[in-house]
Amino acid sequence: MHIHAYSWLGEKELFDRDAARRLPDRPRPPVTPEEQERHRQLVEAFRRSELPPMETAHWLLKSPRLIRRTFEEPKDAAAWLGGRLTEHAPGFHSQQEANTARLARLVASAADTLAHGGDVSLGFYVGRTSFLSLALVACSPNRFAPGVPCPRASLNGRPAGPPR
């Protein structure tokens, strides 16, 4: 097992568009060729979208270019998370969310969750209109989506795509 890290910072208004963040349901039989094509287009739009998915494991269905880092060890992935939290904490909407003791507990909890094969997903309001989404997703296989193939091979903590 390895862990892929994802982050997204954007307008809260975009994040609130649930339909764009949800993997489309398959059409029910009988299915016409037009319905099949429309479903294919919706799935491709979901995969191309940079918006965080409603289900954390569905990050694995998105483009590999969205992977920020890949880790072999849960503690390393949790340390990455801690770095992102520290980086963005000054902009958090709430002082309570930016509390360093609270952030340390989130990182410790993330390391424990990852060590047990779970995924981690956190979100924070940043400034007045932005939202930060951070996710760590176990891969090969993912406990919540075992049939989803790995989007990219593990790279031992090196960036798994263009830096963002």
Side-chain angles (χ1 to χ4, degrees), residues 74-153:
K75 64 179 175 32
D76 296 335
W80 175 89
L81 179 68
R84 302 301 67 73
L85 293 172
T86 300
E87 175 186 339
H88 292 283
F92 287 174
H93 193 258
S94 159
Q95 293 279 346
Q96 183 180 6
E97 285 183 331
N99 177 284
T100 54
R102 179 179 181 277
L103 296 179
R105 286 190 304 271
L106 287 174
V107 171
S109 175
D112 185 56
T113 298
L114 294 167
H116 290 92
D119 299 330
V120 175
S121 183
L122 300 172
F124 302 89
Y125 291 99
V126 179
R128 301 185 124 232
T129 62
S130 295
F131 192 80
L132 172 67
S133 173
L134 299 168
L136 296 167
V137 185
C139 190
S140 295
N142 182 279
R143 193 166 71 181
F144 303 101
V148 175
C150 181
R152 176 170 283 169

Side-chain angles (χ1 to χ4, degrees), residues 28 30 34 49-50 67 81 92 107 144 149 157:
R28 295 179 187 234
E34 293 81 17
S49 170
E50 293 185 11
I67 299 170
L81 179 68
F92 287 174
V107 171
F144 303 101

Side-chain angles (χ1 to χ4, degrees), residues 21-70:
R21 298 178 51 222
R22 199 178 305 281
L23 185 63
D25 292 331
R26 291 191 180 278
R28 295 179 187 234
V31 181
T32 66
E34 293 81 17
E35 290 171 321
Q36 286 178 336
E37 178 59 21
R38 177 67 181 143
H39 181 261
R40 189 194 65 72
Q41 290 172 354
L42 290 171
V43 169
E44 278 308 306
F46 171 83
R47 289 181 178 199
R48 282 191 314 271
S49 170
E50 293 185 11
L51 285 171
M54 294 293 285
E55 293 183 42
T56 304
H58 286 170
W59 272 113
L60 299 175
L61 295 170
K62 297 213 172 238
S63 171
R65 71 180 171 76
L66 297 178
I67 299 170
R68 304 302 183 230
R69 298 283 298 253
T70 297

